Amino acid sequence: MNKFDYMEKHGYEQIIYFYDKTTGLKGVTCIHNTTLGPALGGTRIWNYECEEDAVLDALRLARGMTYKAAAAGLNLGGGKTVLIGDANQVKSEAYFRALGRYVQSLNGRYITAEDVNTSTKDMDYVHMETDYVVGLEGKSGNPSPLTALGVFHGIRASLQEQFGNDDISQYTFAVQGAGQTGYYLIKYLVEAKAKKIYFTEINQNHISRMKKELPQVEYVKPEEIFALDVDVFSPCALGAQLNDVTIPLIKAKVIAGSANNVLDDDEKHGVMIKDRGILYAPDFVINAGGLINVYHELSTYIKEKAVRDIEKIYDRLLDIYKIAKTEDISTHSAAKVFAKNRIDTINRLQANYIKR
Ligand code: NAD
């Protein structure tokens, strides 16, 4: 891969490599676009097969963050850090403090947070060296219930669009995955008196928790979840669950859940879902609740304010569905158009010089 060609093609601003001999910290930060504000994106640790894979992952994830933040109405750009190594071996106070010093050296162009294989505790070490870190212990708290809350409002918007009525009590649901987000989503659906909810899981502890706390929610086997005769299919497990095999099975008229990268192929499967008359809530728009929540840490964190912003996912999805209809494109493509429009408009606004 020629990195400069790739950067030019997708509009990247910066790639930063760093290596700290004392702690073994080795990684890459990618900054995709900072038109709207500082690039925010978590730090993940992964045992990449080669350096090239690490850089590609950071590039891809940073660009995703630009769209996610833009579509969420936040004044943030997209960035990501990947650290190369085995998470069970490399972690220490010094390792994360070394990371904090590199983050600090970017002087606020990039803000980090936890991600795969890093925790709020690790970020507390980063915080010893820099203020450019969010998602700290005792601040905005566990993002999962707030991600689930955003998904709940996104489901309501999608029902409104597809059936002209957003009253949860009139509909049936199939939720794939009752982990951090799926569990809370199911709780919101139960509270809103959903007509019937099915769920599936592969983790025995999560199945037992559901059976104990919410016995009215019916368990089905993982392979049965797609073809259930329900109104809403809610993927809250892994990515790539919507593909050539599963899309033809789906009977639901709405697909809306928390899972990231749930379309195996954004273009192809976005269109395939559209052609089947199913309304798909784009993942990076409907699952932005956690990001919106953590964004509020950058000023004084007030939960009610964060929740009000998360509720706006409802109207944002309706705007995106309107673009999809007008331009006759998939909702996933429409969400990208929506995000790019916001970046371009704010960019043009900044062309007008004012002294501050
Ligand atoms: P999680 O690991 O807590 O929950 C996922 C659950 O899905 C697990 O309990 C797992 O056992 C189950 N699962 C995995 N494969 C399955 C299968 N084939 N059938 C049934 N169940 C299966 O993760 P989470 O935090 O709830 O995240 C779920 C998705 O949402 C991920 O794609 C994640 O990237 C995305 N997401 C999460 C957040 C957040 O705030 N946690 C924010 C944005 C996006």
Side-chain angles (χ1 to χ4, degrees), residues 68 143-144 147 176-182 200-203 206 222 236-239 241 258-260 287 290:
K68 187 167 185 164
S144 303
T147 299
Q176 185 192 38
Q180 293 261 40
T181 53
T200 190
E201 245 306 330
I202 52 170
N203 177 322
H206 292 171
C236 297
L238 303 176
Q241 291 298 299
S258 65
N260 266 323
N287 73 16

PDB file of all heavy atoms in Angstrom, residues 68 143-144 147 176-182 200-203 206 222 236-239 241 258-260 287 290, ligand 1:
ATOM      1  N   LYS A  68     -18.956   9.110  12.010  1.00  0.00           N
ATOM      2  CA  LYS A  68     -19.801   8.883  13.194  1.00  0.00           C
ATOM      3  C   LYS A  68     -20.016  10.192  13.964  1.00  0.00           C
ATOM      4  O   LYS A  68     -21.142  10.541  14.311  1.00  0.00           O
ATOM      5  CB  LYS A  68     -19.131   7.831  14.088  1.00  0.00           C
ATOM      6  CG  LYS A  68     -19.987   7.395  15.245  1.00  0.00           C
ATOM      7  CD  LYS A  68     -19.393   6.145  15.873  1.00  0.00           C
ATOM      8  CE  LYS A  68     -20.317   5.624  16.955  1.00  0.00           C
ATOM      9  NZ  LYS A  68     -20.017   4.257  17.342  1.00  0.00           N
ATOM     10  N   PRO A 143     -20.605   3.545  28.967  1.00  0.00           N
ATOM     11  CA  PRO A 143     -21.338   4.061  27.797  1.00  0.00           C
ATOM     12  C   PRO A 143     -22.461   3.141  27.310  1.00  0.00           C
ATOM     13  O   PRO A 143     -23.379   3.603  26.610  1.00  0.00           O
ATOM     14  CB  PRO A 143     -20.244   4.159  26.720  1.00  0.00           C
ATOM     15  CG  PRO A 143     -19.227   3.156  27.113  1.00  0.00           C
ATOM     16  CD  PRO A 143     -19.259   3.071  28.606  1.00  0.00           C
ATOM     17  N   SER A 144     -22.407   1.862  27.666  1.00  0.00           N
ATOM     18  CA  SER A 144     -23.332   0.893  27.040  1.00  0.00           C
ATOM     19  C   SER A 144     -24.817   1.203  27.244  1.00  0.00           C
ATOM     20  O   SER A 144     -25.592   1.152  26.281  1.00  0.00           O
ATOM     21  CB  SER A 144     -23.014  -0.521  27.509  1.00  0.00           C
ATOM     22  OG  SER A 144     -21.678  -0.812  27.205  1.00  0.00           O
ATOM     23  N   THR A 147     -25.565   3.969  24.856  1.00  0.00           N
ATOM     24  CA  THR A 147     -25.608   3.487  23.466  1.00  0.00           C
ATOM     25  C   THR A 147     -26.963   2.818  23.235  1.00  0.00           C
ATOM     26  O   THR A 147     -27.637   3.064  22.230  1.00  0.00           O
ATOM     27  CB  THR A 147     -24.473   2.467  23.209  1.00  0.00           C
ATOM     28  OG1 THR A 147     -23.229   3.122  23.435  1.00  0.00           O
ATOM     29  CG2 THR A 147     -24.511   1.932  21.788  1.00  0.00           C
ATOM     30  N   GLN A 176     -30.440  -9.838  18.685  1.00  0.00           N
ATOM     31  CA  GLN A 176     -29.287 -10.749  18.611  1.00  0.00           C
ATOM     32  C   GLN A 176     -28.195 -10.239  19.538  1.00  0.00           C
ATOM     33  O   GLN A 176     -27.589  -9.205  19.277  1.00  0.00           O
ATOM     34  CB  GLN A 176     -28.757 -10.805  17.173  1.00  0.00           C
ATOM     35  CG  GLN A 176     -27.635 -11.819  17.008  1.00  0.00           C
ATOM     36  CD  GLN A 176     -26.924 -11.670  15.676  1.00  0.00           C
ATOM     37  OE1 GLN A 176     -26.713 -10.561  15.186  1.00  0.00           O
ATOM     38  NE2 GLN A 176     -26.534 -12.780  15.084  1.00  0.00           N
ATOM     39  N   GLY A 177     -27.950 -10.965  20.635  1.00  0.00           N
ATOM     40  CA  GLY A 177     -26.913 -10.558  21.589  1.00  0.00           C
ATOM     41  C   GLY A 177     -27.514  -9.807  22.770  1.00  0.00           C
ATOM     42  O   GLY A 177     -28.155  -8.777  22.599  1.00  0.00           O
ATOM     43  N   ALA A 178     -27.324 -10.368  23.980  1.00  0.00           N
ATOM     44  CA  ALA A 178     -27.814  -9.702  25.193  1.00  0.00           C
ATOM     45  C   ALA A 178     -26.611  -9.388  26.079  1.00  0.00           C
ATOM     46  O   ALA A 178     -26.578  -9.702  27.269  1.00  0.00           O
ATOM     47  CB  ALA A 178     -28.826 -10.580  25.915  1.00  0.00           C
ATOM     48  N   GLY A 179     -25.606  -8.757  25.476  1.00  0.00           N
ATOM     49  CA  GLY A 179     -24.404  -8.345  26.208  1.00  0.00           C
ATOM     50  C   GLY A 179     -24.583  -6.945  26.744  1.00  0.00           C
ATOM     51  O   GLY A 179     -25.684  -6.537  27.138  1.00  0.00           O
ATOM     52  N   GLN A 180     -23.518  -6.161  26.723  1.00  0.00           N
ATOM     53  CA  GLN A 180     -23.530  -4.805  27.312  1.00  0.00           C
ATOM     54  C   GLN A 180     -24.650  -3.925  26.762  1.00  0.00           C
ATOM     55  O   GLN A 180     -25.326  -3.236  27.503  1.00  0.00           O
ATOM     56  CB  GLN A 180     -22.204  -4.119  27.002  1.00  0.00           C
ATOM     57  CG  GLN A 180     -21.031  -4.730  27.689  1.00  0.00           C
ATOM     58  CD  GLN A 180     -20.661  -3.941  28.916  1.00  0.00           C
ATOM     59  OE1 GLN A 180     -21.518  -3.476  29.659  1.00  0.00           O
ATOM     60  NE2 GLN A 180     -19.386  -3.775  29.134  1.00  0.00           N
ATOM     61  N   THR A 181     -24.823  -3.920  25.430  1.00  0.00           N
ATOM     62  CA  THR A 181     -25.845  -3.029  24.852  1.00  0.00           C
ATOM     63  C   THR A 181     -27.192  -3.735  24.685  1.00  0.00           C
ATOM     64  O   THR A 181     -28.232  -3.150  24.968  1.00  0.00           O
ATOM     65  CB  THR A 181     -25.382  -2.485  23.482  1.00  0.00           C
ATOM     66  OG1 THR A 181     -24.996  -3.581  22.651  1.00  0.00           O
ATOM     67  CG2 THR A 181     -24.226  -1.532  23.618  1.00  0.00           C
ATOM     68  N   GLY A 182     -27.157  -5.004  24.212  1.00  0.00           N
ATOM     69  CA  GLY A 182     -28.408  -5.729  23.949  1.00  0.00           C
ATOM     70  C   GLY A 182     -29.250  -5.868  25.214  1.00  0.00           C
ATOM     71  O   GLY A 182     -30.480  -5.684  25.179  1.00  0.00           O
ATOM     72  N   THR A 200     -31.430 -13.898  21.358  1.00  0.00           N
ATOM     73  CA  THR A 200     -30.519 -15.031  21.268  1.00  0.00           C
ATOM     74  C   THR A 200     -29.173 -14.626  21.854  1.00  0.00           C
ATOM     75  O   THR A 200     -28.836 -13.433  21.928  1.00  0.00           O
ATOM     76  CB  THR A 200     -30.360 -15.541  19.825  1.00  0.00           C
ATOM     77  OG1 THR A 200     -29.646 -16.776  19.877  1.00  0.00           O
ATOM     78  CG2 THR A 200     -29.604 -14.557  18.936  1.00  0.00           C
ATOM     79  N   GLU A 201     -28.407 -15.615  22.297  1.00  0.00           N
ATOM     80  CA  GLU A 201     -27.108 -15.407  22.953  1.00  0.00           C
ATOM     81  C   GLU A 201     -26.264 -16.668  22.805  1.00  0.00           C
ATOM     82  O   GLU A 201     -26.817 -17.751  22.587  1.00  0.00           O
ATOM     83  CB  GLU A 201     -27.312 -15.150  24.460  1.00  0.00           C
ATOM     84  CG  GLU A 201     -26.928 -13.789  24.969  1.00  0.00           C
ATOM     85  CD  GLU A 201     -25.519 -13.340  24.648  1.00  0.00           C
ATOM     86  OE1 GLU A 201     -24.636 -14.184  24.529  1.00  0.00           O
ATOM     87  OE2 GLU A 201     -25.289 -12.130  24.514  1.00  0.00           O
ATOM     88  N   ILE A 202     -24.953 -16.512  22.942  1.00  0.00           N
ATOM     89  CA  ILE A 202     -24.101 -17.710  22.988  1.00  0.00           C
ATOM     90  C   ILE A 202     -23.360 -17.799  24.331  1.00  0.00           C
ATOM     91  O   ILE A 202     -22.733 -18.795  24.627  1.00  0.00           O
ATOM     92  CB  ILE A 202     -23.090 -17.731  21.812  1.00  0.00           C
ATOM     93  CG1 ILE A 202     -22.297 -16.424  21.732  1.00  0.00           C
ATOM     94  CG2 ILE A 202     -23.783 -18.012  20.489  1.00  0.00           C
ATOM     95  CD1 ILE A 202     -21.138 -16.473  20.753  1.00  0.00           C
ATOM     96  N   ASN A 203     -23.463 -16.722  25.118  1.00  0.00           N
ATOM     97  CA  ASN A 203     -22.782 -16.699  26.413  1.00  0.00           C
ATOM     98  C   ASN A 203     -23.773 -17.148  27.495  1.00  0.00           C
ATOM     99  O   ASN A 203     -24.798 -16.502  27.725  1.00  0.00           O
ATOM    100  CB  ASN A 203     -22.285 -15.266  26.665  1.00  0.00           C
ATOM    101  CG  ASN A 203     -21.624 -15.098  28.010  1.00  0.00           C
ATOM    102  OD1 ASN A 203     -22.051 -15.682  29.000  1.00  0.00           O
ATOM    103  ND2 ASN A 203     -20.581 -14.286  28.047  1.00  0.00           N
ATOM    104  N   HIS A 206     -24.941 -14.711  30.187  1.00  0.00           N
ATOM    105  CA  HIS A 206     -25.892 -13.695  29.713  1.00  0.00           C
ATOM    106  C   HIS A 206     -27.288 -14.302  29.517  1.00  0.00           C
ATOM    107  O   HIS A 206     -28.293 -13.638  29.763  1.00  0.00           O
ATOM    108  CB  HIS A 206     -25.376 -13.053  28.422  1.00  0.00           C
ATOM    109  CG  HIS A 206     -24.156 -12.214  28.638  1.00  0.00           C
ATOM    110  ND1 HIS A 206     -23.410 -11.675  27.625  1.00  0.00           N
ATOM    111  CD2 HIS A 206     -23.544 -11.814  29.793  1.00  0.00           C
ATOM    112  CE1 HIS A 206     -22.390 -10.995  28.123  1.00  0.00           C
ATOM    113  NE2 HIS A 206     -22.451 -11.079  29.438  1.00  0.00           N
ATOM    114  N   PRO A 222     -29.272 -19.286  18.254  1.00  0.00           N
ATOM    115  CA  PRO A 222     -28.640 -18.260  17.415  1.00  0.00           C
ATOM    116  C   PRO A 222     -29.039 -18.331  15.945  1.00  0.00           C
ATOM    117  O   PRO A 222     -29.287 -17.311  15.309  1.00  0.00           O
ATOM    118  CB  PRO A 222     -27.148 -18.527  17.596  1.00  0.00           C
ATOM    119  CG  PRO A 222     -27.053 -19.132  18.952  1.00  0.00           C
ATOM    120  CD  PRO A 222     -28.293 -19.925  19.158  1.00  0.00           C
ATOM    121  N   CYS A 236     -27.243  -6.837  17.918  1.00  0.00           N
ATOM    122  CA  CYS A 236     -26.464  -6.224  19.013  1.00  0.00           C
ATOM    123  C   CYS A 236     -25.310  -7.142  19.411  1.00  0.00           C
ATOM    124  O   CYS A 236     -24.957  -7.234  20.591  1.00  0.00           O
ATOM    125  CB  CYS A 236     -27.357  -5.961  20.223  1.00  0.00           C
ATOM    126  SG  CYS A 236     -28.687  -4.798  19.906  1.00  0.00           S
ATOM    127  N   ALA A 237     -24.763  -7.866  18.440  1.00  0.00           N
ATOM    128  CA  ALA A 237     -23.666  -8.796  18.758  1.00  0.00           C
ATOM    129  C   ALA A 237     -22.413  -8.389  17.987  1.00  0.00           C
ATOM    130  O   ALA A 237     -21.794  -7.382  18.311  1.00  0.00           O
ATOM    131  CB  ALA A 237     -24.096 -10.221  18.430  1.00  0.00           C
ATOM    132  N   LEU A 238     -22.111  -9.131  16.947  1.00  0.00           N
ATOM    133  CA  LEU A 238     -20.866  -8.882  16.216  1.00  0.00           C
ATOM    134  C   LEU A 238     -21.135  -8.189  14.879  1.00  0.00           C
ATOM    135  O   LEU A 238     -22.281  -8.034  14.474  1.00  0.00           O
ATOM    136  CB  LEU A 238     -20.180 -10.218  15.920  1.00  0.00           C
ATOM    137  CG  LEU A 238     -19.867 -11.091  17.118  1.00  0.00           C
ATOM    138  CD1 LEU A 238     -19.283 -12.411  16.650  1.00  0.00           C
ATOM    139  CD2 LEU A 238     -18.882 -10.381  18.046  1.00  0.00           C
ATOM    140  N   GLY A 239     -20.033  -7.841  14.180  1.00  0.00           N
ATOM    141  CA  GLY A 239     -20.154  -7.245  12.846  1.00  0.00           C
ATOM    142  C   GLY A 239     -20.439  -8.303  11.790  1.00  0.00           C
ATOM    143  O   GLY A 239     -20.472  -9.509  12.076  1.00  0.00           O
ATOM    144  N   GLN A 241     -22.979  -9.388  10.314  1.00  0.00           N
ATOM    145  CA  GLN A 241     -24.102 -10.324  10.482  1.00  0.00           C
ATOM    146  C   GLN A 241     -25.129 -10.216   9.359  1.00  0.00           C
ATOM    147  O   GLN A 241     -25.975 -11.090   9.190  1.00  0.00           O
ATOM    148  CB  GLN A 241     -24.792 -10.083  11.836  1.00  0.00           C
ATOM    149  CG  GLN A 241     -23.962 -10.469  13.024  1.00  0.00           C
ATOM    150  CD  GLN A 241     -23.639 -11.949  13.030  1.00  0.00           C
ATOM    151  OE1 GLN A 241     -24.522 -12.792  13.087  1.00  0.00           O
ATOM    152  NE2 GLN A 241     -22.354 -12.277  12.941  1.00  0.00           N
ATOM    153  N   SER A 258     -27.281  -2.140  17.757  1.00  0.00           N
ATOM    154  CA  SER A 258     -26.054  -1.447  18.169  1.00  0.00           C
ATOM    155  C   SER A 258     -24.809  -1.899  17.410  1.00  0.00           C
ATOM    156  O   SER A 258     -23.804  -1.184  17.390  1.00  0.00           O
ATOM    157  CB  SER A 258     -25.817  -1.685  19.666  1.00  0.00           C
ATOM    158  OG  SER A 258     -25.578  -3.068  19.893  1.00  0.00           O
ATOM    159  N   ALA A 259     -24.836  -3.083  16.804  1.00  0.00           N
ATOM    160  CA  ALA A 259     -23.602  -3.688  16.281  1.00  0.00           C
ATOM    161  C   ALA A 259     -22.908  -2.812  15.236  1.00  0.00           C
ATOM    162  O   ALA A 259     -23.551  -2.285  14.329  1.00  0.00           O
ATOM    163  CB  ALA A 259     -23.900  -5.058  15.699  1.00  0.00           C
ATOM    164  N   ASN A 260     -21.605  -2.693  15.384  1.00  0.00           N
ATOM    165  CA  ASN A 260     -20.760  -1.936  14.448  1.00  0.00           C
ATOM    166  C   ASN A 260     -20.463  -2.762  13.209  1.00  0.00           C
ATOM    167  O   ASN A 260     -20.300  -3.988  13.315  1.00  0.00           O
ATOM    168  CB  ASN A 260     -19.401  -1.644  15.115  1.00  0.00           C
ATOM    169  CG  ASN A 260     -19.392  -0.299  15.781  1.00  0.00           C
ATOM    170  OD1 ASN A 260     -19.969   0.670  15.284  1.00  0.00           O
ATOM    171  ND2 ASN A 260     -18.725  -0.233  16.930  1.00  0.00           N
ATOM    172  N   ASN A 287     -25.846   3.863  16.698  1.00  0.00           N
ATOM    173  CA  ASN A 287     -25.092   3.416  17.888  1.00  0.00           C
ATOM    174  C   ASN A 287     -24.151   4.504  18.444  1.00  0.00           C
ATOM    175  O   ASN A 287     -23.223   4.210  19.171  1.00  0.00           O
ATOM    176  CB  ASN A 287     -24.352   2.097  17.614  1.00  0.00           C
ATOM    177  CG  ASN A 287     -23.142   2.254  16.701  1.00  0.00           C
ATOM    178  OD1 ASN A 287     -22.644   3.361  16.483  1.00  0.00           O
ATOM    179  ND2 ASN A 287     -22.658   1.150  16.166  1.00  0.00           N
ATOM    180  N   GLY A 290     -23.025   6.257  22.937  1.00  0.00           N
ATOM    181  CA  GLY A 290     -21.852   6.217  23.815  1.00  0.00           C
ATOM    182  C   GLY A 290     -20.871   7.327  23.482  1.00  0.00           C
ATOM    183  O   GLY A 290     -20.292   7.960  24.379  1.00  0.00           O
TER     184      GLY A 290
HETATM  185  P1  NAD B   1     -20.854  -7.389  24.256  1.00  0.00           P
HETATM  186  O1  NAD B   1     -19.694  -8.264  23.943  1.00  0.00           O
HETATM  187  O2  NAD B   1     -21.094  -6.974  25.651  1.00  0.00           O
HETATM  188  O3  NAD B   1     -22.208  -8.102  23.745  1.00  0.00           O
HETATM  189  C1  NAD B   1     -22.318  -8.827  22.579  1.00  0.00           C
HETATM  190  C2  NAD B   1     -23.053 -10.112  22.925  1.00  0.00           C
HETATM  191  O4  NAD B   1     -23.335 -10.841  21.729  1.00  0.00           O
HETATM  192  C3  NAD B   1     -22.241 -11.051  23.825  1.00  0.00           C
HETATM  193  O5  NAD B   1     -22.988 -11.342  24.982  1.00  0.00           O
HETATM  194  C4  NAD B   1     -22.007 -12.285  22.961  1.00  0.00           C
HETATM  195  O6  NAD B   1     -22.043 -13.482  23.696  1.00  0.00           O
HETATM  196  C5  NAD B   1     -23.182 -12.197  22.011  1.00  0.00           C
HETATM  197  N1  NAD B   1     -22.972 -12.870  20.724  1.00  0.00           N
HETATM  198  C6  NAD B   1     -21.855 -12.897  19.966  1.00  0.00           C
HETATM  199  N2  NAD B   1     -22.073 -13.620  18.849  1.00  0.00           N
HETATM  200  C7  NAD B   1     -23.350 -14.033  18.902  1.00  0.00           C
HETATM  201  C8  NAD B   1     -24.161 -14.821  18.050  1.00  0.00           C
HETATM  202  N3  NAD B   1     -23.706 -15.307  16.891  1.00  0.00           N
HETATM  203  N4  NAD B   1     -25.438 -15.057  18.422  1.00  0.00           N
HETATM  204  C9  NAD B   1     -25.903 -14.575  19.580  1.00  0.00           C
HETATM  205  N5  NAD B   1     -25.189 -13.829  20.434  1.00  0.00           N
HETATM  206  C10 NAD B   1     -23.929 -13.579  20.102  1.00  0.00           C
HETATM  207  O7  NAD B   1     -20.730  -6.136  23.285  1.00  0.00           O
HETATM  208  P2  NAD B   1     -21.561  -4.771  23.290  1.00  0.00           P
HETATM  209  O8  NAD B   1     -20.776  -3.749  24.003  1.00  0.00           O
HETATM  210  O9  NAD B   1     -22.984  -5.018  23.657  1.00  0.00           O
HETATM  211  O10 NAD B   1     -21.446  -4.425  21.747  1.00  0.00           O
HETATM  212  C11 NAD B   1     -22.263  -5.075  20.787  1.00  0.00           C
HETATM  213  C12 NAD B   1     -22.033  -4.391  19.446  1.00  0.00           C
HETATM  214  O11 NAD B   1     -22.335  -3.009  19.558  1.00  0.00           O
HETATM  215  C13 NAD B   1     -20.571  -4.462  18.962  1.00  0.00           C
HETATM  216  O12 NAD B   1     -20.570  -4.544  17.566  1.00  0.00           O
HETATM  217  C14 NAD B   1     -20.002  -3.127  19.398  1.00  0.00           C
HETATM  218  O13 NAD B   1     -18.917  -2.719  18.578  1.00  0.00           O
HETATM  219  C15 NAD B   1     -21.206  -2.228  19.179  1.00  0.00           C
HETATM  220  N6  NAD B   1     -21.176  -0.975  19.952  1.00  0.00           N
HETATM  221  C16 NAD B   1     -21.132  -1.004  21.309  1.00  0.00           C
HETATM  222  C17 NAD B   1     -21.098   0.189  22.020  1.00  0.00           C
HETATM  223  C18 NAD B   1     -21.081   0.215  23.521  1.00  0.00           C
HETATM  224  O14 NAD B   1     -21.286   1.310  24.098  1.00  0.00           O
HETATM  225  N7  NAD B   1     -20.876  -0.898  24.193  1.00  0.00           N
HETATM  226  C19 NAD B   1     -21.096   1.412  21.327  1.00  0.00           C
HETATM  227  C20 NAD B   1     -21.165   1.412  19.936  1.00  0.00           C
HETATM  228  C21 NAD B   1     -21.203   0.194  19.254  1.00  0.00           C
END
